[in-house]
Amino acid sequence: MKRRLCVLAAVAAMCLCLLVGCSAAGDKLSDSPSNMAPDYSAGDRGNEMYGDKYYGSDVDMENGSSVSGGLSADLTGSADANRKIIERTEMSVQTKTYDALMSALSARLKTVGGYVESARENASGQRYANIVVRVPADKTADFQAALTENGTVTDSYTTTEDVTLSYVDIESRIAALKAEQTALLAMLEKAQEIKDLLDIQSRVTEVTAQLESYQSRLRTYDSLIAYSTVTLNIYEVERVQIVEELTVWEEIGQTLSNNLEDIGDGFVGFFVWFVGALPYLLLFAIPVCVVLFIIIRRCRRRRKADKE
């Protein structure tokens, strides 16, 4: 009995200790900085300001109106409008009317204001062309429409590259270098000693070279952003391969049509070969005919001799 009373007393003491600990922890949590109201009285320390926007508060510091939600929408809209995107597209095109397709592409390219960056063409047998064109970014779809009018696009994929951060970084570096260049030129005019003149002139040369390099990179970005790069692989074919999914009966019909076309092409190819090879066939046919004539004649003589 005494043993049970001791156990119960120990359990009661443990429960009392746990209650006291939880109460103390609750008091500490209530006094923690995370649960205290932020103090914006000392220079608006609760907010961080970037440019004209305040982040960390839902109150417009100038008008006192709530901007919760509107700020994020504004940032999203400005990001979409100011993003710097480089777009590249590669397409494979099959056509039965090669000349018509090339003429249409040339005319459409001139209409949209694009230009040919590089071109390579194989004119032997079934013709093939690899053409890289630059098209204004907002006219890419209009240019690609000329492909579907005179050919069949069998493969196409587009990649985009967001260079906004690099573009903004280069702009910042250019602004900083221009400011440094202006300051150095001002110092150069006031310098009296030859050593100072040489040091400043050397730094001016370095800044000018860096500035030209960054400006060149920025111009390259501007060109790639303003004009999409479209790579075309154009194949002249006798039969266009259909790439869309077909039903069973459509696939059977297409296979039968292809086989009949192959048989017809085989007969045409054999006839062309036979007519072209006639001189060689005649050249070999004369000796063969002479040998056969001699053999047949000897065979007849032997039969006649045997009968006699």
Side-chain angles (χ1 to χ4, degrees):
M1 186 68 179
K2 291 181 179 181
R3 190 174 183 179
R4 293 182 180 179
L5 289 175
C6 292
V7 173
L8 290 174
V11 172
M14 292 177 62
C15 292
L16 182 60
C17 292
L18 289 174
L19 289 174
V20 173
C22 291
S23 177
D27 294 338
K28 290 182 179 180
L29 288 174
S30 63
D31 295 335
S32 63
S34 62
N35 292 328
M36 297 175 62
D39 181 14
Y40 299 121
S41 58
D44 297 329
R45 284 193 295 263
N47 295 326
E48 293 181 6
M49 187 177 75
Y50 298 91
D52 296 332
K53 299 290 184 182
Y54 286 84
Y55 298 86
S57 174
D58 292 337
V59 178
D60 189 341
M61 301 307 294
E62 296 180 357
N63 302 323
S65 61
S66 174
V67 294
S68 176
L71 179 60
S72 61
D74 178 56
L75 289 175
T76 304
S78 63
D80 291 340
N82 298 325
R83 284 191 310 165
K84 305 298 182 181
I85 304 297
I86 297 175
E87 181 178 310
R88 298 181 178 89
T89 302
E90 184 167 356
M91 308 176 71
S92 296
V93 185
Q94 295 182 358
T95 179
K96 293 182 178 180
T97 56
Y98 183 87
D99 294 326
L101 176 60
M102 298 299 286
S103 299
L105 286 179
S106 178
R108 186 64 60 89
L109 190 63
K110 186 180 296 185
T111 301
V112 300
Y115 62 92
V116 176
E117 186 176 78
S118 64
R120 180 172 59 89
E121 184 176 10
N122 180 15
S124 61
Q126 291 184 338
R127 290 172 288 183
Y128 162 79
N130 175 264
I131 306 174
V132 179
V133 298
R134 303 294 305 282
V135 184
D138 56 343
K139 299 293 183 64
T140 304
D142 188 18
F143 170 75
Q144 292 176 356
L147 297 172
T148 58
E149 295 173 0
N150 298 276
T152 301
V153 179
T154 58
D155 188 21
S156 174
Y157 67 92
T158 300
T159 59
T160 58
E161 180 182 1
D162 192 340
V163 295
T164 305
L165 295 179
S166 298
Y167 193 94
V168 173
D169 180 65
I170 292 175
E171 285 184 325
S172 300
R173 292 176 183 271
I174 289 175
L177 289 171
K178 284 184 177 179
E180 184 179 359
Q181 187 182 49
T182 302
L184 288 171
L185 292 176
M187 293 172 59
L188 189 63
E189 293 178 356
K190 297 178 181 180
Q192 299 295 331
E193 298 183 3
I194 296 178
K195 181 179 182 303
D196 294 337
L197 288 172
L198 293 176
D199 291 341
I200 295 174
Q201 185 62 46
S202 175
R203 181 56 187 165
V204 168
T205 302
E206 294 177 1
V207 170
T208 302
Q210 293 178 7
L211 188 59
E212 291 177 352
S213 175
Y214 282 120
Q215 288 175 338
S216 176
R217 290 174 59 183
L218 201 63
R219 286 192 297 270
T220 301
Y221 271 148
D222 288 335
S223 176
L224 292 173
I225 293 167
Y227 284 79
S228 299
T229 302
V230 182
T231 302
L232 302 174
N233 298 306
I234 302 174
Y235 303 89
E236 183 183 27
V237 296
E238 297 179 357
R239 182 173 63 250
V240 177
Q241 297 179 357
I242 301 176
V243 295
E244 64 268 14
E245 294 184 0
L246 303 176
T247 63
V248 175
W249 293 108
E250 288 176 343
E251 189 172 355
I252 292 174
Q254 180 183 347
T255 304
L256 181 60
S257 176
N258 292 339
N259 291 336
L260 292 176
E261 188 172 352
D262 290 338
I263 293 172
D265 293 340
F267 278 117
V268 172
F270 175 76
F271 179 75
V272 171
W273 171 84
F274 181 78
V275 173
L278 274 178
Y280 296 99
L281 294 176
L282 292 175
L283 183 63
F284 287 105
I286 294 174
V288 170
C289 291
V290 171
V291 172
L292 289 175
F293 176 76
I294 295 174
I295 293 174
I296 293 172
R297 187 174 179 181
R298 288 182 177 180
C299 289
R300 288 180 177 178
R301 288 181 178 178
R302 286 182 181 179
R303 290 180 181 178
K304 187 176 180 181
D306 292 339
K307 290 180 179 181
E308 294 178 352

